[in-house]
Amino acid sequence: MEVSFAAFLSSTPTIKELTEHVNVSTKWYLVGTMLDLDQKRLKSIEAQTGHNDAHKTVEMFNIWLETTPTASRRQVLEAMRADAVGENTLAQKYEKHLRELHQETYAPPSTKAVFILQKNIQSLNEALVSPVQVSQLLYCKRCISEATLDEMERIDQRRSLDDKKTTLLTVMQEIVSSDYRKLKDIATVLSDVEETRDIANKIMTEYEEKIPQDDDSTVVQPQVGVVSNEDRASDILRNSYSALSQSITEPVRMAKWLHEEVVISDEALSCVMSTRGSVSDSRAVLLKAVRDAVHSNYKHLELFVTVLQKDLKESQCINVQKEEMIDELKKKISSLEEEKTTDKESIIRDIEDEVDIFTDESSNTDDSSDTDRSDVSLDSDTPIKVGEKIEAVRSQYSMRLSNPSLDQCEKVISKLKDTDKSVILSHSSSDSMKFLIPTILEKGTINKLCIYFSLLTRGDIFSFSSQLSTNKSLTTLVLTTGSISDDGVIELAESLQHNKQLKNLHLNGNPGITSDSAHSLTELLLTNKKLQYLRLHHTSIDTDGVLILMESLMINNTLEQLWLDKEHEEICLTLPYLMATQHQEISFNAFLSSTPTIKELTEHVNVSTNWYTLGTMLDLDQRQLQDINGKAIPSTQKMIEMFNLWLTTTPTASRREVLEALRKSVVEENALAYEYEKHLRELHETTYVPPSTEAVFILQRNIQSLNEALVSPVQVSQLLYCKRCISEDTLDEMERIDQRRSLDDKKTTLLTAMQETVSHDYRKLKDIATVLSDVEETRDIGNEIMTKYEEEIPQDDDSTVVQPQVGVVISNEDRASDILRNNYSALSQSITEPVRMAMLLYKEVISDEALSCVMSTRGSVSDSRAVLLKAVRDAVHSNYKHLELFVTVLRKFPETAHIGDTIFEEYRKHFNYDDDVPEKEKFLAERNRDFQQRSMSTSSESLTFDHKEMDKHGDHEILLDRDVKKKFKEINLKSGTTFYRVRRIFNNKKNILDINEVKQLISDWFPDLKPQLSDKMTIGEVLDVLRRKCNIMDISPLENLAFEFNIEDAIPIIESFKEEAKDFCKSVSVSLCLGEKLQAVATPSRLLCETVVFVFNWNPDECTLQDINDVFDELEPLNRFKYILQVDEIDRNRSVVVTCYCPAEYTGSLIITVLGKIDTLQRRGLKEFILGNCTLWNTTQILSKNTEGADLLTEVNDLKAALRERDERIMVQEDGEVEWDWYDVTLTRPSVGQCKEVISKLENNHNTITFNYLSSDRIQSLIPIILGIHAIEQLHLLSSFFLRECILSFSSQLTTNGSLKTLALTGNSISDDGVIALAKSLEYNKTLECLHLNDNPGITSVSAESLAELLRNNNTLINLYLDKTNIDTSGVLKLIESLKTNNTLRELWLDKHHEKTCFTLPYYEDIENILIFEVKT
């Protein structure tokens, strides 16, 4: 680096550089002589009249540069250091500048960053007051290590403040040299500390100017490899360390609590206790112990959080007690002062020590600084102790009083001088302030009044409100650190409304100030015309209060700064009027970059004789400047010629350059620069057009074109509704069916709404343009609007992301409506059977009236769809759960299934769709009353219903038979009693039971309950969770738990209930169970389940619940997956219809099981089996002799054979091979146990999984789980045959999967029927890029049409491999035909023998690059 700098010194300087940094003033002649210039030339410069020394210096350097080919920076330095010149200081400054310039030009970012920091090290060393606090902030930002923090916080009386500063500054330099980007974090931290804020801003400015900003992100990268729980917990603690180090006020008490919770050790507690004399030291020791504890066990962090919460609650009560104690102790001091005792002084000192402790704790003054902060002294270096018997502490112009008595106040007031300009009061009583403040205000000479730790009530302020209102001297009023609350602020604001002098009002550091006083402060800002600075940070004003304050800024023109807490910044930036102000400032910056006129420069930048120096700073050619200088014309005319020369020779000439040149030290025209900038702001305001106005202009210019081009305004309105560019009322108006409304009327309504939207928020124009560009007839207009928007409106922050409503609690209905809105456009184009969909939604979601409206418009699909969607929107507004039911219906239609999946993904992010069941279970199901009444009227006349007796379940009415209700209530009560008695027995055994073992056993039984068990702390809570797996017919989970833990007292109680439940099932007729849910848990989310219906040829009066239970015992999956059973209705043929809810991922397994046992089920009376809206089997199909029935019988027999084959394979459970790699894992012939083990051990880095020789039953059980793992991007299956039923069982997951990019089914793994099902499932998949189906001889042209359809509909697939299959020419032609409309496929692999056929196609050249032909081996 030094060699490079030496070479740099040998280079030639510029005239601008010399003018600015080598201003030798009157010694220019001597410097010119030392530079060996011709004396005649120097004398001619000296002889010029009317030129100042700066001008002559420039001319001298010009001659030197022109006449000296070897002119160098080194020669200038040597000349200045010559004894005859003696400008060593200037030479030193010039060399320093050259080194900085060299660093900027040649040094790497790390060196530049270190250099920037080093330049400011001295300033930091002088400014730093609290290095420990800064180190804690830097620790949070990961700018120093934990070891450094320990060193900074280490308690050592021998270590001075300078030692700590040196340690911190040294570490900061080491950090920056290691990672230059950390300098930005360091600057951010320093800017948060009052004493280093200016230095930090300077560092940040230099950083942004001198270091390339391509990649200066300081986001902490996650650790590569396995991150332990302890590391994660320590990281969480680190993020909050700074806040903790400033907030913990009672470390000793907290340490005792943590010691009781076994978080910190005996030794750590002793260390904290030993430092109890200093809160900052005790706190540091405590936090060190907590950090060590979390490093050893992450769960210690939970206990620490519990203690923090406990401290918060208790401190509120203790603070009141402390205030009372302080008052009592102060009274003791006063009484002792009046007595004459020999031991008075020692007693007073003891009491004062007690007061110091209490005042320190209650005022929270200790903030980890390294100096004694027992009493804050702002204007004097001498601290005052509470109650100390001296009158005051006086600095040159200020008076400081701490806890003065009334006598002291009188003495101080009597000695106040006219030269005393500020008074500081701390820890003062109400009486003292009532006496002092009015007197101070009447004095008329005090311009600054500061009050700390002294609470002013509303009554106190009222006592001197008139003086505040009329005072003419006070310019600054400071009430901080708990000195005022809401009632005081309200009175204060009213008193100051008409004050004509106050400019600074500091109310920061008062947690008692909330939004309750925001209206009063707003009124102050609206009325007072003098206030310039208002500080409200570190208060408890919430978002609502901030918004109230912001409104006043629209009218207030005098306030220059309003200080608020950082948390409000994001909200404020979204306010339209602040965005407009921000936009205007950005617009002014752009205005400064424009070129000024010669008239403007002549009028407002009249630098007179200083024109030559200014021209040099504007980097003009020196010869041309000398030519102007040689003309015998006045200086003003020379200045005009200089400006003309600059404007004509500098293409980038700008107003900003002029301002910067005027402010250069060598020019020193700061006053002129200020006046010129002021003129430019006024000029900008006269020409400035707000972005909202500009956006409206852009839209209005295109209104006529839009009116002519719009063909489908309703469709456009639906798209705009999704983008939140029009309101729901406007959408209703657009979709309203009215034959009298013409197309032009709808256009007018839409275009008017668009203009209103843009005038309110100009950024919405971008969204409108995006929507218009997506519609064929308005695409060109949309693109034109977008172009104009980007050209004419600055793109600083045009994000149109919808901001959440500020200060408003968003209801579940609003969230659900928002989800529906996001997908409204897709729904309005995809629903093709609105009438059928409305009938499915009838009663559950939409009303009779809504159904009638849909039915009345059935002649027009678009009208019916609009009416249906309006009804759905209204339903979701009334109850957000209606969205679940709507999704269920959407998934029943192939054209809307993918939209239903999308809505579901959004829904599950916002709502807990598996809500906990309350203690009192709801056994009654939702019923369609009309269906029930009709069915009951035909089934049994003996049953009578009281139509007035209704129960509510959610928002649905349920019709119940009185007798049924009574019987179910009885068995429900018995079930609840059983659980109550068993729970009480378990609670009595809690001392011998390990709750973690109980939770582990239940989790092993029911993995889905594990998340719900994680936060349960008592055995009773755990049993409540287990109860969800029990019902009135089966409480075996509770029985097994009692058996496993040998709770013998519970067994007889459980057995007794089982007998009663058995008798109940045998005695209760099915006809009495209509609408009753037989499972003691909430109905599972319909988003995750499919409805399964079994129709039995039974007489409902003759069969019982036990008969139903016996039938479903035959269906093993139903027992395994805990379906909810509901006897739904009785039809005219006296059949019993039983409805179940089957988890979607198990529907395939259920189909195979039912069809496999169809003979047994038919003998028991089954006559129909329905899944969703599809009848999979009925007796008429079996009895039919037609081909379809025969095909079905063949399919059933094939399924039976497949099941037998599966059972035989399952019997063999030998382990296969498992190979692990960093990114992938390969399993060959794995057993079930191996598969489960592998899945449980998968990490985020494992993105590829390969199965070889996987059986179909394991495919069916494993693939859904694999598809649910978001880290898996590639799935390969070789020689693992896929049945069609397997694919159908997880088809919905294939459609909605958002992570899988490559799917390979090769090596005889799939045939035509599987391909057909697979292609259908992948049509709307959004992530899959590569599909390998090669090496499958079972794939023929039968499945070619399905693959072609896949290529027509899928927009993400890039590569499709179909080589080494048996697709013939006809199949290939179908595939090739689909490529005409496919724009995303890059490679289609086919067998080599198809090449000639493809070559003859007329459009072969268009697809030639896509086709790849592989030779069969």
Side-chain angles (χ1 to χ4, degrees), residues 136-148:
Q136 290 161 346
L137 291 166
L138 290 171
Y139 174 70
C140 285
K141 282 282 189 178
R142 289 154 182 81
C143 293
I144 65 171
S145 65
E146 193 163 345
T148 302

Side-chain angles (χ1 to χ4, degrees), residues 762-998:
Y762 71 92
R763 299 174 300 173
K764 287 293 181 184
L765 183 62
K766 190 172 184 179
D767 276 343
I768 290 173
T770 303
V771 167
L772 294 175
S773 63
D774 289 338
V775 180
E776 184 66 37
E777 65 258 26
T778 58
R779 182 163 294 142
D780 293 339
I781 302 172
N783 292 335
E784 183 180 348
I785 290 174
M786 183 66 81
T787 302
K788 290 292 184 184
Y789 178 90
E790 293 174 347
E791 286 177 356
E792 298 180 19
I793 297 179
Q795 303 300 298
D796 57 302
D797 181 16
D798 60 353
S799 168
T800 55
V801 177
V802 178
Q803 299 296 334
Q805 297 181 50
V806 177
V808 178
V809 178
I810 300 176
S811 67
N812 289 336
E813 282 67 30
D814 290 337
R815 288 194 178 93
S817 299
D818 210 46
I819 294 169
L820 182 62
R821 184 173 194 160
N822 292 337
N823 296 275
Y824 196 83
S825 175
L827 288 169
S828 63
Q829 298 176 54
S830 302
I831 295 175
T832 57
E833 299 181 77
V835 176
R836 184 174 163 218
M837 191 173 287
M839 294 176 71
L840 290 170
L841 291 169
Y842 174 54
K843 286 297 182 184
E844 295 281 356
V845 176
I846 66 175
S847 63
D848 297 337
E849 183 183 358
L851 179 62
S852 299
C853 290
V854 176
M855 298 290 285
S856 67
T857 58
R858 63 194 310 165
S860 168
V861 174
S862 60
D863 290 346
S864 299
R865 182 169 55 216
V867 174
L868 171 65
L869 288 175
K870 171 70 167 68
V872 171
R873 282 190 278 119
D874 292 342
V876 174
H877 281 314
S878 66
N879 189 338
Y880 75 97
K881 288 192 175 181
H882 285 148
L883 186 61
E884 298 185 29
L885 302 171
F886 183 48
V887 168
T888 305
V889 173
L890 289 175
R891 286 177 146 178
K892 295 179 185 296
F893 295 84
E895 62 271 12
T896 58
H898 65 288
I899 305 174
D901 293 336
T902 303
I903 294 175
F904 167 56
E905 289 301 323
E906 290 187 59
Y907 185 91
R908 73 189 303 177
K909 291 176 183 176
H910 294 285
F911 301 103
N912 181 6
Y913 52 86
D914 188 19
D915 292 331
D916 288 349
V917 184
E919 182 69 21
K920 180 180 177 182
E921 279 84 357
K922 298 174 182 176
F923 285 87
L924 303 176
E926 299 173 8
R927 283 292 295 126
N928 181 321
R929 183 172 59 208
D930 291 344
F931 282 151
Q932 191 181 51
Q933 288 174 333
R934 289 198 295 270
S935 63
M936 286 306 303
S937 66
T938 60
S939 63
S940 177
E941 296 180 0
S942 61
L943 294 172
T944 59
F945 283 79
D946 184 350
H947 294 280
K948 295 181 180 179
E949 184 170 348
M950 303 288 181
D951 275 6
K952 287 284 184 180
H953 182 68
D955 292 332
H956 302 274
E957 292 183 339
I958 307 156
L959 191 61
L960 296 175
D961 177 79
R962 285 181 173 177
D963 189 40
V964 172
K965 182 175 181 180
K966 181 180 178 182
K967 290 186 178 185
F968 269 91
K969 185 175 182 180
E970 288 174 358
I971 194 68
N972 182 23
L973 290 173
K974 289 177 181 178
S975 172
T977 302
T978 300
F979 256 90
Y980 171 75
R981 294 171 65 188
V982 172
R983 186 191 292 110
R984 189 167 58 180
I985 293 170
F986 269 85
N987 282 330
N988 292 335
K989 304 282 187 180
K990 61 184 179 182
N991 293 331
I992 60 173
L993 282 175
D994 186 337
I995 191 171
N996 291 323
E997 289 186 8
V998 177

Side-chain angles (χ1 to χ4, degrees), residues 92-308:
Q92 185 178 358
K93 289 181 180 178
Y94 181 43
E95 184 176 356
K96 181 181 178 182
H97 162 73
L98 292 176
R99 287 191 179 277
E100 291 175 1
L101 181 63
H102 174 255
Q103 291 276 8
E104 292 174 10
T105 310
Y106 300 105
S110 57
T111 306
K112 291 180 182 179
V114 171
F115 187 69
I116 293 170
L117 182 60
Q118 285 176 341
K119 282 197 301 183
N120 292 278
I121 283 291
Q122 186 59 37
S123 303
L124 282 172
N125 191 51
E126 295 170 0
L128 265 178
V129 175
S130 50
V132 175
Q133 179 193 353
V134 173
S135 68
Q136 290 161 346
L137 291 166
L138 290 171
Y139 174 70
C140 285
K141 282 282 189 178
R142 289 154 182 81
C143 293
I144 65 171
S145 65
E146 193 163 345
T148 302
L149 179 66
D150 290 342
E151 178 66 18
M152 291 298 298
E153 291 184 336
R154 181 166 56 85
I155 301 164
D156 187 347
Q157 303 300 331
R158 294 169 297 179
R159 291 188 72 199
S160 66
L161 182 64
D162 288 337
D163 289 341
K164 292 189 176 184
K165 288 183 184 180
T166 303
T167 300
L168 180 60
L169 295 174
T170 302
V171 171
M172 284 164 57
Q173 293 179 77
E174 291 173 357
I175 288 290
V176 172
S177 63
S178 173
D179 183 355
Y180 71 92
R181 297 173 300 178
K182 286 293 182 184
L183 182 61
K184 192 172 184 179
D185 276 343
I186 290 173
T188 303
V189 166
L190 295 175
S191 65
D192 290 338
V193 180
E194 184 69 33
E195 64 259 23
T196 57
R197 184 164 293 142
D198 294 338
I199 304 171
N201 293 337
K202 183 180 177 183
I203 291 173
M204 184 66 81
T205 302
E206 286 192 69
Y207 178 90
E208 292 173 348
E209 288 177 355
K210 299 179 180 178
I211 296 179
Q213 302 300 301
D214 57 317
D215 183 19
D216 63 348
S217 172
T218 56
V219 176
V220 178
Q221 299 297 328
Q223 299 178 41
V224 178
V226 180
V227 180
S228 68
N229 289 335
E230 282 67 30
D231 290 338
R232 290 191 181 97
S234 297
D235 210 45
I236 295 169
L237 181 61
R238 184 171 193 160
N239 292 337
S240 304
Y241 195 83
S242 175
L244 288 169
S245 63
Q246 298 177 54
S247 304
I248 295 175
T249 58
E250 297 183 72
V252 175
R253 183 159 64 114
M254 194 173 288
K256 290 178 180 178
W257 285 341
L258 290 170
H259 183 258
E260 291 172 5
E261 297 287 348
V262 200
V263 174
I264 66 174
S265 63
D266 297 339
E267 182 183 356
L269 178 61
S270 299
C271 290
V272 176
M273 298 291 285
S274 66
T275 57
R276 64 192 306 166
S278 167
V279 175
S280 60
D281 291 345
S282 299
R283 184 168 51 215
V285 174
L286 171 64
L287 288 175
K288 171 71 167 68
V290 172
R291 282 190 277 120
D292 293 342
V294 174
H295 281 316
S296 65
N297 188 337
Y298 74 96
K299 290 192 175 180
H300 285 150
L301 185 60
E302 295 182 36
L303 299 170
F304 182 49
V305 171
T306 305
V307 168
L308 288 173

Side-chain angles (χ1 to χ4, degrees), residues 1015-1038:
D1015 61 343
K1016 306 306 178 190
M1017 305 300 291
T1018 67
I1019 194 70
E1021 292 175 342
V1022 172
L1023 289 180
D1024 288 341
V1025 174
L1026 180 65
R1027 188 173 184 182
R1028 299 165 196 175
K1029 293 298 181 180
C1030 300
N1031 59 61
I1032 60 176
M1033 297 163 60
D1034 178 17
I1035 59 170
S1036 58
L1038 183 64

Side-chain angles (χ1 to χ4, degrees), residues 501-519:
Q501 189 66 28
L502 194 72
K503 295 180 180 179
N504 303 281
L505 179 58
H506 298 234
L507 300 177
N508 50 297
N510 289 299
I513 299 179
T514 70
S515 296
D516 291 344
S517 55
H519 283 289

Side-chain angles (χ1 to χ4, degrees), residues 437-453:
I437 297 176
T439 311
I440 290 169
L441 293 174
E442 288 175 359
K443 180 73 174 174
T445 59
I446 303 299
N447 55 35
K448 182 176 181 180
L449 175 59
C450 303
I451 301 173
Y452 303 96
F453 310 116

